Amino acid sequence: MNQLGVRWTTDQVLALAPDAASRKAGSKLGGPGPWSGTGSSAGAEDSDEGAVWGLCKGSGSKPYQTIVDIGGGAPGANGPGYKCSCPSRKFPCKHALGLLLLWAGGDAQVPAGQSPPEWAEPWLAGRQKRAGSQESAVSETGPGSAPADPEAARRRAERRAQRITAGATELEQRLADLLRGGLAQAEQSGYGLWEETAARMVDAQAPGLAARVRELGAIPASGPGWPVRLLEACALLHLLDQGWLRRDALPADLAATVRSRVGLPASDREPPLRDRWLVLSQYDTADGHLTTRRIWLHGTRSARTVLLLSYGAAGRAPALALPAGRTLDAAVSAYPGAGALRAELGEQFAPADSDGIRPGAVRPKGVDVTSGLAAYGAALAADPWLESWPVTLAEVIPTRDPDGHWQLADDEGKSALPLTAHAAASPGLWRLVAVSGGAPVTVFGECGPTGFRPLATWAEEAGEVISLC
């Protein structure tokens, strides 16, 4: 029987929305009014797709045909897939979101154990076939197959390293010129100087350096205190430059971190680690051209925390979607580098299920505020360019400090972590306050230079993972 008989929660469905407008529009379609012909193959003895489908009445004469593959269609499937006859270019569209919200409401609206209708079968069969082809390709070539011409690959890598070295050397000269002439010239020169330098780093095939140079260009217009922030950013960029130029003298983990920060792809990954992974958090960030999805997983047996990254072009959600609170039996392979947080999702041995929302399910072991800060400090020492570090804080209470700023304080009030400005202004803060009700809770989030960003919480008694994104 398909394990997807356990339905998602409303929060888990809305977490899939590509933007706020889609979330609002999808919510309006979450009732039975516009829907007909709904059903789900989850629980059907002759089906393992875990699909949900329905017809949604729109402005035209024909209803929109909407179908969602929940992600259990084949081993290795990387999350939900969506198909709708509407003209929207967003994935998932509002009809898919509405259908999933309707499905989350129970069997009364979307009966389980059904066979897909004829109009849905070709698309589902195609997904099954593609997943099978990918699995066959992996089994034939092997995940660690060597390149066709190793010597040619080595020469290409050497040429790229030489270009990056030339770019890093030029960047060092430009940073020295900036500091010699004074930071005030950065405000006078405007963004054009930095954009030209970033373009030079792109030519040097160092996208990581280019991105950091562009960040420098935006700092003079970031408000009061910008010279301090610019000096800090220049120091970190200088440190990265020097790390690349002296990479052969660095420890292996730190050298791998430098290569990653410069923009080189990781050559090898750790052997796959199979575990039951609890999805702690999923949230998106966008820069106008690219949407980045960050998914934090916790291994319930290994106690390891890893980060999955997925990307989507502007206006489209990334393909990988794993709502918070689900668990999946899967293998992940960590990339090298300090901390080895970044990982790639490999084979999934079973569809994602709802073990993670049951009371008493395995959760990360929380630490006190002092230990959390110490863990972040140790991680920062190993990777000075680290933007954030995952920390689970136990027995903390959301409260305000004497100046009115939000923080997470231990239940004795002896230590506290300030929240980031983004977290303090987000709706997730009030959800956290409501869950706490003035009592200690466990909070998972990211600790960074500007404070702590809560991403998920749970009360020890209830155990349900509640997203704060």
Side-chain angles (χ1 to χ4, degrees):
M1 178 176 292
N2 195 308
Q3 297 182 33
L4 292 169
V6 179
R7 304 190 181 221
W8 294 359
T9 65
T10 298
D11 283 346
Q12 290 169 337
V13 172
L14 293 178
L16 302 174
D19 50 42
S22 298
R23 189 178 300 114
K24 182 178 180 181
S27 298
K28 293 180 179 179
L29 296 175
W35 292 97
S36 61
T38 57
S40 170
S41 59
E45 295 183 359
D46 61 344
S47 174
D48 62 354
E49 300 99 351
V52 183
W53 58 82
L55 301 173
C56 186
K57 183 179 180 181
S59 56
S61 58
K62 294 183 179 180
Y64 295 122
Q65 298 175 340
T66 308
I67 182 170
V68 180
D69 178 358
I70 307 300
N78 287 335
Y82 314 97
K83 173 69 174 178
C84 186
S85 59
C86 74
S88 175
R89 299 180 64 182
K90 295 182 180 181
F91 295 92
C93 67
K94 63 180 181 180
H95 305 102
L97 291 170
L99 176 61
L100 287 174
L101 289 171
L102 194 67
W103 172 66
D107 287 350
Q109 307 300 336
V110 182
Q114 306 295 306
S115 297
E118 291 185 3
W119 56 265
E121 287 180 346
W123 182 74
L124 282 174
R127 278 180 63 83
Q128 290 280 340
K129 184 177 180 180
R130 287 192 296 273
S133 299
Q134 292 171 1
E135 186 180 8
S136 298
V138 170
S139 64
E140 290 174 2
T141 62
S145 297
D149 188 346
E151 180 60 24
R154 185 189 63 80
R155 289 195 297 270
R156 287 194 298 271
E158 286 183 353
R159 287 195 296 270
R160 181 171 183 181
Q162 291 170 359
R163 293 191 187 99
I164 295 175
T165 297
T169 303
E170 179 181 343
L171 182 55
E172 282 290 277
Q173 184 60 53
R174 297 206 177 194
L175 289 175
D177 292 343
L178 171 66
L179 297 178
R180 189 179 299 111
L183 295 181
Q185 68 170 312
E187 187 176 30
Q188 300 168 0
S189 300
Y191 191 77
L193 173 65
W194 300 105
E195 184 59 36
E196 178 190 349
T197 305
R200 294 286 295 162
M201 297 305 104
V202 172
D203 292 341
Q205 294 184 291
L209 294 179
R212 290 180 177 273
V213 168
R214 291 193 176 97
E215 291 174 1
L216 292 183
I219 292 177
S222 63
W226 69 263
V228 174
R229 293 192 293 275
L230 180 60
L231 186 60
E232 291 175 346
C234 286
L236 284 173
L237 185 53
H238 167 68
L239 186 64
L240 182 56
D241 271 347
Q242 289 299 314
W244 172 262
L245 295 174
R246 304 180 185 184
R247 61 191 180 282
D248 292 338
L250 299 178
D253 280 350
L254 184 56
T257 298
V258 168
R259 287 193 292 269
S260 173
R261 295 299 184 185
V262 165
L264 283 175
S267 56
D268 295 304
R269 295 188 295 273
E270 292 183 3
L273 172 63
R274 181 177 178 179
D275 204 338
R276 287 198 63 80
W277 298 95
L278 169 65
V279 184
L280 291 173
S281 171
Q282 171 185 291
Y283 70 93
D284 296 349
T285 56
D287 63 2
H289 302 286
L290 188 71
T291 298
T292 302
R293 175 163 293 165
R294 296 168 64 88
I295 302 176
W296 286 106
L297 303 181
H298 172 72
T300 59
R301 292 189 289 266
S302 64
R304 185 167 180 174
T305 301
V306 298
L307 173 66
L308 306 180
L309 295 182
S310 183
Y311 303 95
R316 299 187 63 171
L320 182 60
L322 297 171
R326 312 295 291 188
T327 58
L328 63 157
D329 182 1
V332 302
S333 299
Y335 289 94
L341 284 181
R342 171 82 188 281
E344 181 176 287
L345 181 62
E347 182 177 0
Q348 296 184 44
F349 302 95
D353 57 37
S354 296
D355 284 353
I357 66 174
R358 293 202 316 261
V362 176
R363 299 284 180 270
K365 184 178 180 181
V367 299
D368 58 31
V369 172
T370 302
S371 299
L373 278 174
Y376 171 57
L380 197 61
D383 180 359
W385 310 278
L386 190 69
E387 296 178 358
S388 61
W389 184 259
V391 174
T392 302
L393 298 175
E395 299 293 308
V396 290
I397 303 172
T399 184
R400 294 181 186 269
D401 67 15
D403 295 326
H405 301 132
W406 281 98
Q407 60 183 3
L408 292 178
D410 60 34
D411 55 353
E412 297 180 355
K414 295 182 179 179
S415 56
L417 263 178
L419 299 189
T420 64
H422 179 277
S426 71
L429 170 62
W430 302 110
R431 189 178 300 179
L432 175 60
V433 171
V435 171
S436 168
V441 291
T442 302
V443 182
F444 169 79
E446 297 174 345
C447 194
T450 60
F452 187 82
R453 180 180 182 178
L455 298 176
T457 185
W458 57 89
E460 292 298 335
E461 300 79 10
E464 179 181 354
V465 174
I466 300 172
S467 175
L468 302 176
C469 301

